[in-house]
Amino acid sequence: MSWGNPWAWLGLLALGVPVLIHLLARRTARIQRFPTLRFLQSSRLLPRRHTRLTDVPLLIVRLAIVAVAVAALARPFLLTGGRQQSLARQLARVIVVDTSASMKRATASGTSAIEVARANARERAAEAQASLIVESATPAAVLPGAAQWLSHQPGRRELVVVSDFQLGTIEQADITALTNEVGLRFDPVAAVTASGPIDFQTRTGVATTTARTSLQPDRTDVEWNVQATERTDASAILQLAAPTERVETDAALDAALTLAPAPSDSARRVAIVYQTYDRRSVLLRDAKPLTVRWMGDIAAALAGQTTIDRIGIGSVDGGERLLLFTSASAGSLESAELMIAVLNALTPAAAASELEPQTLSTEVLRRWQRVPPSVVDHPIRDDDASDGRWLWALVLLLLGVETLMRRAQPKVSSAASTEAVYDRVA
């Protein structure tokens, strides 16, 4: 039995209103003055009877109307045997897919772990009546939100995590924080730890240092290689300034490339618009809000850059780019610092934790798993899902009964009125 909205039940306090009406709506006698009694000494009138309820059946019907109306507003849900069986057959799932850097490794079949995880997520989603797939590089951070979404779904609720489960991906505290009303399932994707090296490049002046990291089951091997620096293709970053500042902007970009990696994806194109650019006002006027995911990620990474005045999407040289309107001067130290931040945002370095070769054991994952509970409730999401509509029908019926009872009350006779007058005079 789901009682619906608990605040609505405070309306039961209104049950005192009909009682007050019955107590206060008593017939009062008229005072009749007789001239022959004007010489009698006045005395204080005493009531002959105490205040008492009249027409108790009508009062009960009115109280029932208020009580049933309050129950209807609360929108309760009666969990019958048939409804329990129907809800037990329903399954709501949230599938969390790990998209961290370690999931880019290959599996035994040669397919990357992230592709296998996404395929598994689609299969799990198809098995449920209500499902939601969430991709995140930090699965533990999205678990509370996923459980919150499940709490608003009818039927059994299950949270599925698809990952390679590196050590540190999910901790015991993350599992303990989840409510017991949600089932847990863990689908591990086995990636080959030695499937290929990971290269980390740093550029300093005229030399490029490459750290080639190979993951082994019991260790991490690193091979260092230093080579002369070649001209880096940085066409993904376009600097828009006055024509006379071309030398300064190129020098700032070269300085930034000595400390930050070159863009790894040429499809992600950025334009830095300086104040000296002659078409800056036009680009500002026509700039559109961010609608592309990678652009939003870069904007979030540049949130701490105080020299950026505005970020938007615009067309430059016939192509769409992420526009960064800056107040920094072309060729200045601030512009070089901004380009370093842009380069790091375009090619973010993998976290050191992604080099961890160890994974959570199957025994630990099995101990954390739990089936969705068989006893379920039903969160009310609309009026049709509750039993409130039947209670409103009962309210209408009681209103009709109350109307008939009021009309059937006998009228007060003149003899009774005279008797009341005599009582008042006496």
Side-chain angles (χ1 to χ4, degrees):
M1 174 71 180
S2 175
W3 295 98
N5 186 357
W7 295 104
W9 292 102
L10 293 177
L12 291 176
L13 298 176
L15 290 175
V17 175
V19 177
L20 291 176
I21 293 176
H22 277 251
L23 289 175
L24 299 177
R26 298 178 60 249
R27 293 189 298 269
T28 58
R30 292 184 300 109
I31 299 177
Q32 183 68 37
R33 299 185 180 277
F34 292 90
T36 56
L37 301 178
R38 66 181 183 276
F39 299 109
L40 295 180
Q41 186 178 1
S42 60
S43 61
R44 186 170 58 90
L45 300 179
L46 298 176
R48 294 187 55 189
R49 56 177 177 266
H50 298 286
T51 300
R52 64 178 183 272
L53 294 175
T54 59
D55 205 345
V56 176
L58 181 60
L59 173 61
I60 294 175
V61 172
R62 288 174 174 171
L63 292 175
I65 292 174
V66 176
V68 176
V70 170
L73 289 174
R75 298 163 60 194
F77 182 83
L78 181 60
L79 200 60
T80 62
R83 283 176 170 174
Q84 282 184 335
Q85 294 179 1
S86 176
L87 291 175
R89 290 190 295 267
Q90 297 185 31
L91 177 62
R93 267 183 180 160
V94 174
I95 303 96
V96 179
V97 179
D98 184 4
T99 59
S100 59
S102 63
M103 292 292 289
K104 297 179 181 179
R105 296 178 295 171
T107 60
S109 62
T111 308
S112 66
I114 184 62
E115 294 178 2
V116 175
R118 286 169 175 162
N120 292 348
R122 289 191 293 268
E123 293 179 2
R124 297 297 184 193
E127 297 171 355
Q129 284 69 39
S131 61
L132 181 66
I133 298 178
V134 180
E135 294 190 0
S136 175
T138 54
V142 302
L143 293 183
Q148 180 67 23
W149 182 85
L150 286 171
S151 66
H152 293 84
Q153 305 304 315
R156 295 175 296 124
R157 303 149 193 169
E158 187 176 54
L159 201 160
V160 181
V161 182
V162 187
S163 170
D164 58 355
F165 293 106
Q166 278 186 320
L167 287 181
T169 301
I170 296 179
E171 303 289 349
Q172 177 66 48
D174 302 321
I175 304 301
T176 306
L178 298 176
T179 174
N180 292 329
E181 297 178 355
V182 176
L184 295 176
R185 185 188 187 99
F186 302 96
D187 288 349
V189 178
V192 180
T193 56
S195 58
I198 302 175
D199 291 342
F200 294 90
Q201 289 187 346
T202 57
R203 180 178 173 182
T204 55
V206 296
T208 299
T209 303
T210 302
R212 175 158 293 185
T213 305
S214 301
L215 304 177
Q216 304 298 334
D218 57 347
R219 68 184 188 279
T220 300
D221 297 335
V222 182
E223 178 184 352
W224 301 89
N225 185 14
V226 180
Q227 295 179 340
T229 300
E230 299 179 357
R231 179 64 181 176
T232 304
D233 181 16
S235 59
I237 298 182
L238 179 63
Q239 298 187 83
L240 301 177
T244 56
E245 296 176 330
R246 178 65 181 272
V247 176
E248 288 84 351
T249 56
D250 289 345
L253 180 58
D254 289 338
L257 287 171
T258 62
L259 299 175
S264 59
D265 189 351
S266 59
R268 299 184 174 185
R269 309 179 74 81
V270 178
I272 301 176
V273 187
Y274 293 96
Q275 292 179 329
T276 55
Y277 184 58
D278 56 355
R279 298 187 67 251
R280 176 185 169 99
S281 60
V282 177
L283 292 177
L284 272 171
R285 182 195 64 195
D286 299 336
K288 297 178 293 185
L290 302 183
T291 56
V292 185
R293 182 173 179 178
W294 70 265
M295 292 184 180
D297 294 340
I298 292 180
L302 299 176
Q305 295 295 318
T306 58
T307 58
I308 295 181
D309 298 330
R310 184 179 172 186
I311 299 178
I313 300 177
S315 180
V316 180
D317 294 340
E320 193 174 71
R321 287 179 180 263
L322 174 66
L323 302 180
L324 304 177
F325 297 91
T326 179
S327 59
S329 301
S332 64
L333 183 61
E334 290 81 4
S335 65
E337 181 183 359
L338 174 60
M339 276 182 284
I340 291 175
V342 172
L343 290 171
N344 288 329
L346 287 171
T347 309
S353 59
E354 295 300 321
L355 302 177
E356 173 60 59
Q358 298 295 324
T359 59
L360 294 171
S361 65
T362 305
E363 180 182 354
V364 172
L365 296 178
R366 188 183 300 112
R367 186 172 66 250
W368 286 351
Q369 286 191 158
R370 58 179 182 237
V371 298
S374 56
V375 179
V376 296
D377 60 354
H378 182 83
I380 301 301
R381 293 176 295 176
D382 51 59
D383 291 333
D384 294 336
S386 71
D387 292 318
R389 57 189 183 276
W390 307 113
L391 295 175
W392 284 121
L394 181 57
V395 169
L396 295 176
L397 179 61
L398 290 174
L399 285 173
V401 173
E402 192 267 350
T403 302
L404 294 176
M405 294 179 67
R406 280 191 294 104
R407 292 180 178 178
Q409 285 182 340
K411 296 183 178 180
V412 179
S413 63
S414 58
S417 301
T418 305
E419 181 183 355
V421 172
Y422 290 159
D423 292 342
R424 180 63 175 164
V425 171

